[in-house]
Amino acid sequence: MRMYDLIEKKKLGEELSTEEIYHIINGYTNGEIPDYQISALLMAIYFKGMNVRERYDLTMAMRDSGDILDLSSIDGVKIDKHSTGGVGDKVTLVLGPIIASIGVPVAKMSGRGLGHTGGTIDKLEAFPGFNASLSEEDFISQVNDIKIAVTGQSKNLAPADKKLYALRDVTATVDEISLITGSIMSKKLAAGTDAIVLDVTVGDGAFMKNKESALELAQSMVDIGKRADKKIAAVLTNMDEPLGFAIGNDLEVIEAINALNGNGPDDLMEVVYELGSQMIVFSGIETDKSKARKLMENAVASGKAFEKFCQFIERQGGDVAFARDINKFKPANYVIPVEAKEDGYIHAMKAEAFGLASMSLGGGRETFDDVIDMSVGIVLAKKVGDYIKKGEAICYVHANDKAKAEHAIEMINKATVISADKCDHMKLIIDIVE
Ligand code: URA
């Protein structure tokens, strides 16, 4: 099989066979096929796409390039949740403990933040001592014991994706549905759960900027999950404005703790309850989504969900005193209000720019080697649809460096649109693909 012929074939829009796709993925993973030929193929895929069968083979070949977790020794239906990324997205921190407290096993591999989006593992490391790299054995026994474990992605999980993603990143081929499907689903399938609930974000701060492309991606991932015999659903959620009020690591952890204690922002809780009720239905604990939602609400109201969170943090070595007393988190040196320049309704708080502003304060990474400042970020005082008076705070910038704060404030002002016309609050749940 010559790589040249396979590139030519895809360039002409022809279908690649299962054998050819495995040849490409295996050859690239073990270094036999060079970057320049894969780059050409990626661009051909970008323009000609892949059909569902090719996407499935691509996903499976990438999954098979490394370890596949065997979670069969965990009792019950194991469920994973994945978000395609957003700003202020602390859903896993709230959702995981709630459904674990109801008895749904949560065996979750999470990532670190990059660019304008944050990562769950970074946020969990806000608890001093938290261990985010569990061995497979400890991961499994923890889920059996307390129903929840969250660990960083093991090094040999879908290694083909690591190489391909890095290449896509520098060849302008990230935003192609078949390639995104292969990338996300190969990792989800290698993680070994029985069911997957996907949070496909849509809007300014998301990969998918409009509903049509998000729906196409959601359908593509659901198709592949079903072919692989997984229970799978995707929920399209709005990411035009940040989720909740807090952006930044410690600030988001504090918001998540408040949410678990019954004081969560409406939009955050809407996403948590929608994804969670789907997960509970997949688990078989409840068949009706509205009853599943009631179970979740009760778990929060009774304090059961928060106690599960504390148990989980403690089990992974984190200092749970921080969860029980949020005043233990060291605040940033400066908390500066960003004031509205006019009266009116807020029409936009562009999520990507808010995420980048938080990153510029030191709260995020440009490259994987950057060190994060946990205390900085932004706390919104208003959401899209709210009325604001001139001089009132749009949000508060939490900074450790005044020059960085000035720069972030400038970015926030550019990203906020205020107008006299009335404007509705944003609809959070855009669509569901089951
Ligand atoms: N997230 C991934 O893991 N891969 C993609 O291709 C896009 C988002």
Side-chain angles (χ1 to χ4, degrees):
M1 225 178 273
R2 282 203 321 153
M3 191 58 200
Y4 177 95
D5 298 331
L6 303 180
I7 298 169
E8 178 74 7
K9 206 170 170 186
K10 189 42 80 182
K11 187 179 82 180
L12 299 174
E14 292 172 20
E15 189 176 332
L16 296 171
S17 71
T18 305
E19 201 192 352
E20 288 166 341
I21 290 173
Y22 268 84
H23 171 80
I24 293 164
I25 296 302
N26 291 341
Y28 186 50
T29 309
N30 62 30
E32 282 163 14
I33 303 175
D35 279 354
Y36 53 82
Q37 285 190 306
I38 297 295
S39 302
L41 180 75
L42 290 172
M43 195 53 86
I45 293 173
Y46 187 89
F47 284 111
K48 299 295 180 182
M50 283 181 140
N51 65 26
V52 177
R53 201 227 83 240
E54 289 175 295
R55 287 179 192 180
Y56 178 73
D57 289 336
L58 176 71
T59 305
M60 294 318 237
M62 288 168 72
R63 179 200 71 169
D64 295 344
S65 68
D67 299 339
I68 299 172
L69 251 71
D70 177 5
L71 302 182
S72 58
S73 54
I74 299 175
D75 304 328
V77 181
K78 279 76 67 183
I79 306 179
D80 197 358
K81 168 253 162 196
H82 179 82
S83 163
T84 55
V87 177
D89 181 353
K90 67 285 290 175
V91 170
T92 297
L93 299 181
V94 184
L95 171 60
I98 296 179
I99 62 167
S101 76
I102 293 166
V104 180
V106 180
K108 175 107 189 78
M109 280 201 181
S110 286
R112 294 191 181 276
L114 192 63
H116 69 280
T117 63
T120 300
I121 293 296
D122 294 323
K123 289 167 202 168
L124 285 168
E125 285 177 349
F127 295 96
F130 187 87
N131 174 14
S133 41
L134 299 178
S135 68
E136 192 174 328
E137 205 183 357
D138 287 346
F139 182 64
I140 289 173
S141 65
Q142 184 173 322
V143 181
N144 269 331
D145 292 347
I146 67 165
K147 296 281 181 225
I148 179 168
V150 180
T151 188
Q153 199 171 293
S154 83
K155 288 211 169 44
N156 202 33
L157 196 93
D161 179 59
K162 282 197 192 79
K163 284 190 84 172
L164 279 172
Y165 196 89
L167 197 57
R168 287 165 60 208
D169 210 19
V170 292
T171 55
T173 51
V174 168
D175 54 337
E176 197 285 319
I177 301 274
S178 320
L179 299 174
I180 300 177
T181 300
S183 170
I184 293 177
M185 291 306 293
S186 61
K187 289 175 287 197
K188 294 291 104 186
L189 296 181
T193 56
D194 309 303
I196 303 157
V197 175
L198 300 164
D199 177 3
V200 179
T201 49
V202 190
D204 181 78
F207 250 101
M208 297 292 134
K209 302 291 181 201
N210 59 59
K211 182 179 168 182
E212 292 67 38
S213 55
L215 208 48
E216 201 189 330
L217 175 62
Q219 191 63 60
S220 173
M221 293 194 288
V222 168
D223 285 346
I224 298 308
K226 283 192 175 153
R227 273 190 178 233
D229 266 343
K230 301 288 176 189
K231 293 182 182 182
I232 183 162
V235 180
L236 266 63
T237 64
N238 190 313
M239 191 40 76
D240 267 329
E241 67 176 333
L243 187 63
F245 290 97
I247 308 162
N249 293 278
D250 286 358
L251 297 170
E252 290 189 42
V253 168
I254 291 168
E255 185 165 76
I257 292 168
N258 289 336
L260 285 163
N261 281 312
N263 302 311
D266 291 346
D267 60 346
L268 170 65
M269 296 317 287
E270 191 54 36
V271 176
V272 166
Y273 288 140
E274 186 60 47
L275 296 171
S277 52
Q278 185 65 63
M279 292 168 92
I280 294 170
V281 168
F282 279 162
S283 78
I285 287 176
E286 184 49 81
T287 51
D288 178 83
K289 266 172 83 172
S290 56
K291 286 187 184 153
R293 184 180 175 127
K294 247 302 45 61
L295 284 179
M296 297 177 78
E297 287 169 353
N298 289 342
V300 174
S302 65
K304 227 168 73 173
F306 177 67
E307 286 311 317
K308 182 56 72 181
F309 180 73
C310 291
Q311 188 185 28
F312 150 62
I313 296 297
E314 204 160 29
R315 173 73 180 247
Q316 287 191 225
D319 185 350
V320 78
F322 282 69
R324 298 204 180 276
D325 177 10
I326 54 175
N327 294 316
K328 281 188 165 287
F329 288 101
K330 186 179 170 295
N333 292 337
Y334 310 104
V335 179
I336 305 167
V338 182
E339 292 169 4
K341 294 191 182 348
E342 59 196 309
D343 292 354
Y345 290 90
I346 301 188
H347 281 244
M349 299 178 101
K350 295 180 186 156
E352 181 171 10
F354 274 78
L356 290 171
S358 175
M359 186 176 104
S360 76
L361 291 165
R365 295 188 181 83
E366 236 160 306
T367 73
F368 271 114
D369 300 324
D370 290 347
V371 176
I372 287 182
D373 183 341
M374 298 297 281
S375 62
V376 301
I378 300 162
V379 177
L380 307 186
K382 300 280 180 186
K383 300 283 288 188
V384 169
D386 286 348
Y387 186 77
I388 192 164
K389 278 189 164 318
K390 184 177 173 184
E392 249 190 295
I394 299 166
C395 65
Y396 294 87
V397 165
H398 293 234
N400 284 323
D401 178 301
K402 278 205 167 149
K404 285 183 183 172
E406 290 304 322
H407 179 60
I409 290 169
E410 218 173 281
M411 292 170 84
I412 289 166
N413 277 324
K414 278 193 196 141
T416 306
V417 179
I418 298 173
S419 147
D421 303 333
K422 209 167 179 320
C423 167
D424 290 333
H425 288 110
M426 286 197 169
K427 185 168 174 262
L428 250 290
I429 309 299
I430 297 172
D431 213 332
I432 298 173
V433 179
E434 288 179 69

